[in-house]
Amino acid sequence: GHVGPCLQDPSRPGTCTVHGSEFWSSYRLNITEVNPLGSSFRLLDVTMQAIIKPDPPEGLVVEPIPLAPRRLHVSWKYPSSWPKEPHFQLRFRLQYRPVIHRSWSWVETVNLSEVITDAFAGLEHVVQVSAKDFLDAGNWSEWSAEARATPVRDPATTASEETTTDASLESLAEEPSQAPNPEPINHSDPLEKMAILVSLGIFAFFVLAAVLVITILIWLRVRKHGKDETKPHNFLVAASHLKALPSESGC
């Protein structure tokens, strides 16, 4: 029922501002277009929560975390134009990437700070944040200004790289000797030596086993042959003994 002006900013001819608007209210705007041939108007119904768009968050700060080579701590503030009231909360989305990469990673949060846990150690990262109404009304804000930071380098990786660099410098500083080395070059592998020893041991075992088996077979054959020769001799002795006995008919 209230009629009021939509004030137009001369520097922005395509926009106007309704002061004192209420978030959960609907408005009907009379848009009049004027040109040398005349004028025309149309009525536009607008719901505030459907068109709301916050300004970008402010005060974005990105800092490396000591002893955490893949982490960055990010913090920001509400836009100064957003009302400081408990029922007008915002949620945020964070986008970040290494400067040398093109693809972004995203994180959503309702807090005013976030810890990036999958950053690349030693690479500079660029970070931005945007905001939207907590109840998902309206649109996301534009992205904030960029902030950059580099995660700390992994101490183990740094020490390894320094050791490799020092070794490379030392090898470059040493001049190669022109005198030949009189000692023969040993190209044998310890595993190869072990395999040869095992093979020789197995071969010796089989040879000893074969000799033992042959010896046992020969002994068994000789023993059997000796028994066969003893049996006829015993039979002849028994027969001679029977012939020597006295005859009963003579008695």
Side-chain angles (χ1 to χ4, degrees):
H2 177 70
V3 178
C6 183
L7 301 178
Q8 190 173 10
D9 186 353
S11 62
R12 304 173 64 187
T15 64
C16 67
T17 303
V18 178
H19 291 284
S21 59
E22 297 179 2
F23 187 74
W24 300 108
S25 301
S26 298
Y27 293 85
R28 173 167 292 180
L29 300 180
N30 180 352
I31 301 175
T32 303
E33 301 172 301
V34 180
N35 59 38
L37 299 179
S39 64
S40 64
F41 73 94
R42 62 190 179 104
L43 300 178
L44 178 64
D45 292 328
V46 176
T47 302
M48 296 300 296
Q49 61 267 25
I51 67 168
I52 191 170
K53 183 177 180 180
D55 289 330
E58 301 173 357
L60 179 63
V61 177
V62 185
E63 298 174 319
I65 299 177
L67 304 179
R70 300 204 63 189
R71 295 174 181 261
L72 290 172
H73 182 265
V74 187
S75 61
W76 58 88
K77 299 178 182 178
Y78 267 57
S80 56
S81 58
W82 192 258
K84 306 294 190 300
E85 297 181 14
H87 54 279
F88 284 109
Q89 300 293 321
L90 292 175
R91 60 190 181 97
F92 306 93
R93 62 179 178 179
L94 195 70
Q95 70 172 10
Y96 57 95
R97 63 176 175 84
V99 175
I100 62 175
H101 292 176
R102 293 180 177 271
S103 58
W104 295 89
S105 299
W106 287 274
V107 174
E108 288 197 17
T109 180
V110 296
N111 302 317
L112 290 174
S113 64
E114 187 69 27
V115 175
I116 297 173
T117 59
D118 58 349
F120 291 87
L123 295 181
E124 185 181 28
H125 286 63
V126 56
V127 181
Q128 291 178 296
V129 63
S130 66
K132 190 178 184 181
D133 176 68
F134 181 79
L135 300 177
D136 204 29
N139 304 293
W140 285 99
S141 72
E142 300 295 335
W143 290 105
S144 67
E146 294 181 354
R148 300 190 178 193
T150 302
V152 295
R153 298 180 67 85
D154 187 357
T157 304
T158 303
S160 176
E161 291 178 354
E162 290 178 353
T163 303
T164 304
T165 303
D166 293 341
S168 300
L169 292 176
E170 290 178 359
S171 63
L172 290 175
E174 294 178 356
E175 295 184 0
S177 175
Q178 302 299 327
N181 187 0
E183 297 181 358
I185 300 176
N186 184 11
H187 295 285
S188 60
D189 189 358
L191 294 178
E192 184 178 354
K193 292 181 178 179
M194 182 63 69
I196 293 173
L197 292 176
V198 172
S199 301
L200 291 176
I202 294 174
F203 177 75
F205 172 77
F206 280 110
V207 170
L208 292 175
V211 171
L212 181 61
V213 170
I214 293 172
T215 303
I216 293 174
L217 291 176
I218 293 173
W219 178 76
L220 292 175
R221 186 168 183 176
V222 171
R223 183 180 179 186
K224 183 178 180 182
H225 182 68
K227 287 183 178 180
D228 293 341
E229 290 180 350
T230 305
K231 286 181 180 179
H233 177 72
N234 294 336
F235 176 76
L236 292 175
V237 172
S240 301
H241 180 70
L242 290 175
K243 289 181 180 180
L245 291 175
S247 176
E248 294 181 357
S249 59
C251 297

